[in-house]
Amino acid sequence: MRNVGSIASLHQVLEIPEPISMSIGATRLPWESCTLDSTVWEHAILIADWALYQAKESGRNVTIFINASREMAAWSDWSVEGLSSAASEGLLLSSTLDNDSPG
């Protein structure tokens, strides 16, 4: 989390009175050997965006990393509700990192 440390240093240099928090949503490509194409990239961005909202809902200052299964390549509902359903079905597995934790 080198970037978190850099932002914390910038915070001190600028003498900002409130701590800076950072919420991050991320996913990995490719998904379990699926073929990378523009659709998969677009869907990966939607998953990372969904993960960002999950991070913010969990209290902020959190990183949520999503590991998507190969079955997501055929998923049809890319709305927030659809991605939540995919997570409920075990197609999106999340890992959470508290950004306040040391490196």
Side-chain angles (χ1 to χ4, degrees):
M1 298 293 344
R2 192 167 97 199
N3 290 340
V4 173
S6 297
I7 290 173
S9 298
L10 179 61
H11 171 264
Q12 292 169 349
V13 168
L14 296 176
E15 298 178 6
I16 299 171
E18 295 295 320
I20 295 172
S21 66
M22 182 180 349
S23 299
I24 301 169
T27 191
R28 175 182 65 88
L29 284 173
W31 305 329
E32 297 181 14
S33 304
C34 76
T35 303
L36 284 177
D37 61 18
S38 61
T39 302
V40 171
W41 281 99
E42 180 182 343
H43 292 166
I45 291 168
L46 291 170
I47 290 172
D49 189 53
W50 177 78
L52 174 60
Y53 284 105
Q54 299 300 309
K56 289 179 177 182
E57 285 182 5
S58 70
R60 300 185 182 243
N61 216 32
V62 167
T63 297
I64 294 189
F65 179 82
I66 303 295
N67 188 14
S69 71
R70 177 183 351 200
E71 289 81 9
M72 286 305 296
W75 192 253
S76 61
D77 185 356
W78 291 93
S79 67
V80 170
E81 295 81 13
L83 292 172
S84 296
S85 294
S88 296
E89 292 181 28
L91 301 178
L92 298 174
L93 303 176
S94 66
S95 301
T96 303
L97 172 68
D98 180 352
N99 292 341
D100 290 327
S101 299

